[in-house]
Amino acid sequence: MSSYMNIRVIALTIAAFVVGLVELIIGGILPQIATDLEVSISSAGLLITVFSLVFAIAGPLLLSATSKIERKKLLLVSLVIFFVGTIVAFLAPNYFVLLIARIINAASGSLVIVLALTLSIKVVPKHYQARAIGFVSMGISSSIVIGIPVGVLISDFWSWRIIFLIASILTVIAFFIIVLFIDKVPGGKVITIREQFHAIKQIKIASAHLMMMFAIGAHYLFYAYLTPYVQQYYGLNASQVSMIYFAFGFSAIAGGFLGGVLSDRINPRRAVVTIVTIFLITLLFISLTRDSFYLFIPLLIVWGIMSWAVSPPQQAYLIQTSPQTGDIQQSIHNSALQFGIAGGSALGGFLIDRTGDVTMNSWAACIVMAIALGLAIFSTTRPVAAA
């Protein structure tokens, strides 16, 4: 790609990175937020739940409502609103204001991600389109690998608020690059909410989306409270917690690649069932061997791999099952992910409130993952409905 092409894709990648960072960083800094705003860990965890819930609901609704609006203008407006949310989070004097900031960031961020991905293929020649999508997707994944561990260190040395200030600065940088280098792109066909619901009327497809929601819900039931977990069981300091997130993040990136390879090798249907099975076994082993830190590390790596390995074959499975509604299935897939994050983090917070520690979260994650495995087997063994 030419440097002119590169800078446009980089701007979209920065936008995706910032949204990913703002959504995911909360899990790494829950104790700091809880202490600073004088709330419980479970209340701080609700900041993850609310973001994901708003993201899941707002994504399809806003995508439908804004389908005809010129894409560059819509992205710029979304970035401005997202910037406002990050500044409100940075200045938040109390928990309620931070909660409002999360709602603002989630609603605007849901559009930023969709627009960054769709615009990425319009600002490069056709033979670079797959590379451009991969580059923007890497912005989201790198927020896990780089953003969360670095954010944990920054919040420990300075303040958790600095993360949101950095996010606002990056949002401004992306905004001005887009203003200068990206051309106007007309809106497209309106995808109504009715069309989106119609696309999941098949029990085979509906149960597949439910599987994803439960699988990611099980993951976040535990992952959202990983920082207090490793602090409670292994007495790790901020630098060590940061290394835990680095290990998990790199594993997750590898998982995305391995999930795609496995899907190609044994077909998406079998890959989904295989990955969810391994996911469940891994969570069981973590729960059974929690007293050993040396066993926790390799299990953490497998956990990280499985957390991202499930998505590529799931997306391929949906397209394979209903190719005529592929675009809508991807949108609903993203909402299922976010509903899973919201439900899992909420249940995790509830369990911590009831038990006073994070012991039950890994066991509860096993139960929810077992439900996901049942749904995976049910979905993949249903016949494909006639078109």
Side-chain angles (χ1 to χ4, degrees):
M1 283 183 279
S2 69
S3 59
Y4 178 63
M5 293 296 181
N6 271 332
I7 197 166
R8 296 191 290 185
V9 174
I10 288 169
L12 297 171
T13 303
I14 292 171
F17 172 85
V18 172
V19 175
L21 175 65
V22 168
E23 175 178 12
L24 300 168
I25 188 62
I26 295 293
I29 57 177
L30 282 182
Q32 293 92 327
I33 292 176
T35 300
D36 187 36
L37 300 182
E38 299 179 345
V39 297
S40 66
I41 286 288
S42 60
S43 294
L46 190 61
L47 296 168
I48 301 172
T49 302
V50 168
F51 188 104
S52 298
L53 202 56
V54 172
F55 196 108
I57 296 170
L61 291 176
L62 291 175
L63 187 63
S64 176
T66 60
S67 293
K68 290 188 174 180
I69 299 176
E70 192 270 310
R71 304 285 91 181
K72 176 182 176 179
K73 177 182 177 181
L74 182 60
L75 177 57
L76 292 175
V77 170
S78 299
L79 283 171
V80 168
I81 297 170
F82 191 85
F83 171 81
V84 170
T86 57
I87 291 297
V88 171
F90 170 65
L91 298 172
N94 55 51
Y95 175 79
F96 178 75
V97 174
L98 182 56
L99 196 63
I100 296 300
R102 297 292 287 172
I103 293 170
I104 295 170
N105 282 143
S108 54
S110 68
L111 270 181
V112 170
I113 291 293
V114 171
L115 291 169
L117 287 168
T118 54
L119 282 174
S120 66
I121 63 173
K122 297 181 184 297
V123 299
V124 296
K126 191 170 183 178
H127 56 284
Y128 284 127
Q129 288 182 350
R131 196 180 304 183
I133 291 174
F135 207 77
V136 174
S137 298
M138 192 175 68
I140 305 168
S141 58
S142 62
S143 68
I144 298 177
V145 176
I146 301 169
I148 296 178
V150 171
V152 169
L153 289 175
I154 290 172
S155 65
D156 187 65
F157 284 107
W158 288 286
S159 165
W160 60 268
R161 297 175 185 275
I162 300 298
I163 306 300
F164 292 98
L165 180 62
I166 293 170
S168 65
I169 293 169
L170 290 173
T171 303
V172 171
I173 291 171
F175 178 92
F176 281 108
I177 296 175
I178 290 165
V179 168
L180 293 172
F181 294 101
I182 291 183
D183 299 326
K184 291 183 178 181
V185 176
K189 175 184 176 292
V190 174
I191 301 173
T192 66
I193 298 300
R194 172 181 275 187
E195 286 176 307
Q196 294 183 52
F197 275 115
H198 185 75
I200 56 170
K201 68 176 185 177
Q202 271 191 63
I203 189 69
K204 185 176 180 69
I205 291 176
S207 56
H209 286 299
L210 281 174
M211 180 284 296
M212 197 67 192
M213 187 177 74
F214 274 89
I216 297 303
H219 166 55
Y220 261 84
L221 203 163
F222 192 14
Y223 179 74
Y225 303 94
L226 182 59
T227 295
Y229 179 86
V230 295
Q231 288 176 338
Q232 176 179 324
Y233 277 97
Y234 308 120
L236 304 188
N237 59 35
S239 297
Q240 292 166 328
V241 171
S242 179
M243 292 306 296
I244 289 290
Y245 278 103
F246 264 120
F248 191 96
F250 279 112
S251 302
I253 301 303
F257 173 76
L258 290 173
V261 171
L262 189 64
S263 180
D264 289 338
R265 290 280 177 87
I266 65 173
N267 80 47
R269 177 176 56 82
R270 290 180 181 172
V272 167
V273 174
T274 301
I275 290 165
V276 176
T277 301
I278 297 171
F279 212 153
L280 173 57
I281 293 169
T282 304
L283 291 174
L284 281 169
F285 270 100
I286 288 174
S287 301
L288 290 167
T289 63
R290 72 172 80 254
D291 292 333
S292 173
F293 180 69
Y294 295 104
L295 283 175
F296 175 73
I297 294 302
L299 288 171
L300 174 86
I301 290 170
V302 178
W303 174 19
I305 291 170
M306 293 304 107
S307 69
W308 273 42
V310 69
S311 189
Q314 165 75 351
Q315 290 172 295
Y317 172 63
L318 290 168
I319 292 171
Q320 190 179 78
T321 304
S322 182
Q324 69 275 15
T325 62
D327 290 346
I328 298 176
Q329 297 301 341
Q330 298 311 302
S331 173
I332 296 170
H333 169 78
N334 289 332
S335 289
L337 286 173
Q338 296 299 330
F339 276 125
I341 294 171
S345 55
L347 180 56
F350 172 78
L351 290 173
I352 291 172
D353 264 351
R354 294 298 295 269
T355 63
D357 61 34
V358 294
T359 303
M360 289 302 297
N361 285 41
S362 64
W363 285 113
C366 293
I367 295 170
V368 177
M369 191 62 75
I371 296 171
L373 178 57
L375 286 164
I377 294 169
F378 176 82
S379 175
T380 56
T381 54
R382 296 310 95 189
V384 178

